[in-house]
Amino acid sequence: MKRSIFSVAVILIVLVAIGGSDSLAAQDRYTLTAPNGISFSEVRGYETWHVIAPSRRTDNNELRIILGNTVMVNAYKQGIPENGKPFPDGSIIVKIGWSERQSPVFPAAFEPDVLKRVEFIVKDRKRFPNTSGWGYARFVYDAKTAMFTPYGKDAAFGQECYQCHTIVKAKDFIFTGYPQR
Amino acid sequence: MKRSIFSVAVILIVLVAIGGSDSLAAQDRYTLTAPNGISFSEVRGYETWHVIAPSRRTDNNELRIILGNTVMVNAYKQGIPENGKPFPDGSIIVKIGWSERQSPVFPAAFEPDVLKRVEFIVKDRKRFPNTSGWGYARFVYDAKTAMFTPYGKDAAFGQECYQCHTIVKAKDFIFTGYPQR
């Protein structure tokens, strides 16, 4: 009995040594897939992508950064979509949203508080013919469990995103511009 | 007389052909130097640096992104400054500030409007011994003339920045944290 407890203890110590106690429980977000088949892994490494712009939403108290992959950013730099041309297939735009909080030390400043979601839009005209070539994915983050969950119940969830984005059909369905910097 | 007008016209056409009409007038921001000797060129290529966080200021209606060079971002990833250690020499943090505007098509969203300023802080303990190792530079942008101007009248201007940043002395004088993403 003592020996088996000792063995379990040794195994646990080895596991912690290999992975660290946090990473034993950590979720691999890139195994997740949105109901329309878009995988979180399609934006693997998005944390280091080029930033397009910040934005905020007053209706959900959210502060965001919008990032792009190389195809997307190069398209902006060529004048798309202001020049009337569409973003090319392969363009991906990512939004990271945090709840915002007032700075505890500088009341006139507001800053990210808790991570709320990561969402992205992929341009592929063959893959997403019913939504003008754009596929939508959203992964909601729960800070209490440190887990992402795909948003939406079925493949039709992307229609909700698409319907709203038709407001900016003239900008190839993308709200965010590329501001001077 | 006719001939000299023709010559001037030819010269202008050649100049436009060489540089493009915009670039003939365009300012090279990297020739500018702050009153304390910090050159804008010390952050050459900051547009592609890794984004640390967005923020906004209610007192000047400004939406920002804060970017870091590799030294700065690696320090954050190692737990600095939350772990009580200082950022190493070579760390640079850049802030790009825009006035914010309500989205003309989605009233709950606010987005960058006009570029207002680019400012940065450089860590070098030998160079900036009187401000805890940090040197401050701010370049104010005027959208009407498309020109940057160094902020401040003399080398002491950085004291103004430094005095405010002493609020966060415990975080090595840096307000911005590196939020989860």
Side-chain angles (χ1 to χ4, degrees):
Chain A
M1 184 61 184
K2 269 190 178 173
R3 186 166 170 172
S4 66
I5 289 171
F6 177 76
S7 300
V8 168
V10 167
I11 290 166
L12 283 175
I13 288 164
V14 169
L15 283 172
V16 169
I18 292 169
S21 56
D22 282 347
S23 63
L24 276 177
Q27 177 190 39
D28 177 6
R29 68 189 68 181
Y30 295 131
T31 63
L32 300 176
T33 301
N36 55 2
I38 299 178
S39 169
F40 207 150
S41 67
E42 296 182 38
V43 293
R44 189 181 291 274
Y46 63 90
E47 301 95 325
T48 63
W49 288 9
H50 185 106
V51 63
I52 296 166
S55 75
R56 69 180 179 101
R57 278 276 287 272
T58 54
D59 52 346
N60 62 2
N61 187 42
E62 198 174 273
L63 199 56
R64 298 105 157 254
I65 51 174
I66 291 101
L67 306 158
N69 70 353
T70 306
V71 178
M72 188 91 195
V73 171
N74 286 344
Y76 275 118
K77 289 184 176 174
Q78 288 162 21
I80 295 169
E82 300 293 338
N83 61 9
K85 293 183 182 173
F87 289 95
D89 282 357
S91 296
I92 309 180
I93 188 166
V94 177
K95 183 194 293 164
I96 305 174
W98 296 270
S99 58
E100 73 165 17
R101 69 172 184 184
Q102 190 170 30
S103 165
V105 293
F106 197 95
F110 287 77
E111 59 190 19
D113 187 10
V114 176
L115 180 62
K116 290 176 68 181
R117 53 179 171 159
V118 173
E119 49 190 27
F120 57 92
I121 324 176
V122 179
K123 184 75 177 275
D124 187 330
R125 281 167 297 176
K126 285 187 181 167
R127 193 173 166 202
F128 309 110
N130 299 327
T131 44
S132 299
W134 290 103
Y136 297 83
R138 176 186 292 171
F139 298 92
V140 178
Y141 187 72
D142 178 6
K144 286 181 189 167
T145 60
M147 303 277 274
F148 283 97
T149 308
Y151 175 83
K153 290 176 186 166
D154 56 43
F157 93 96
Q159 287 295 329
E160 180 192 332
C161 311
Y162 178 61
Q163 285 309 315
C164 182
H165 278 256
T166 58
I167 298 172
V168 282
K169 184 178 179 181
K171 294 188 178 177
D172 196 21
F173 303 90
I174 296 296
F175 281 99
T176 304
Y178 189 87
Q180 191 179 10
R181 61 202 66 197
Chain B
M1 182 64 182
K2 268 191 179 172
R3 187 166 171 173
S4 66
I5 288 171
F6 177 76
S7 301
V8 168
V10 167
I11 289 166
L12 282 175
I13 289 165
V14 168
L15 283 172
V16 168
I18 291 169
S21 56
D22 282 347
S23 63
L24 276 178
Q27 177 190 39
D28 177 6
R29 68 189 69 179
Y30 295 131
T31 62
L32 299 176
T33 301
N36 54 3
I38 300 178
S39 168
F40 206 151
S41 66
E42 295 182 38
V43 293
R44 190 181 291 272
Y46 63 90
E47 302 95 326
T48 64
W49 288 10
H50 184 107
V51 63
I52 296 166
S55 75
R56 70 180 177 100
R57 278 276 288 272
T58 55
D59 53 345
N60 61 2
N61 187 41
E62 196 174 274
L63 199 55
R64 299 108 156 251
I65 51 173
I66 292 101
L67 307 158
N69 70 352
T70 305
V71 178
M72 188 89 195
V73 171
N74 285 345
Y76 275 119
K77 290 185 176 174
Q78 288 163 21
I80 294 169
E82 299 292 337
N83 62 9
K85 293 182 182 172
F87 289 96
D89 281 358
S91 297
I92 310 180
I93 188 165
V94 178
K95 182 193 293 164
I96 305 174
W98 296 270
S99 58
E100 73 164 18
R101 69 172 185 185
Q102 189 169 31
S103 165
V105 294
F106 196 96
F110 287 77
E111 59 190 17
D113 188 11
V114 176
L115 180 62
K116 289 176 68 182
R117 53 178 170 159
V118 173
E119 49 190 26
F120 57 94
I121 324 177
V122 179
K123 183 75 177 274
D124 187 330
R125 283 167 296 176
K126 284 186 184 168
R127 195 173 165 201
F128 309 111
N130 299 327
T131 45
S132 298
W134 291 103
Y136 297 83
R138 177 185 293 170
F139 297 92
V140 178
Y141 187 72
D142 177 6
K144 286 181 188 166
T145 59
M147 302 278 272
F148 283 97
T149 309
Y151 175 83
K153 289 175 186 166
D154 55 44
F157 92 96
Q159 288 295 329
E160 180 192 332
C161 311
Y162 177 62
Q163 285 309 316
C164 183
H165 278 256
T166 57
I167 298 172
V168 282
K169 184 179 179 181
K171 294 187 177 178
D172 196 21
F173 304 89
I174 296 296
F175 282 99
T176 304
Y178 189 86
Q180 191 179 9
R181 61 200 68 197

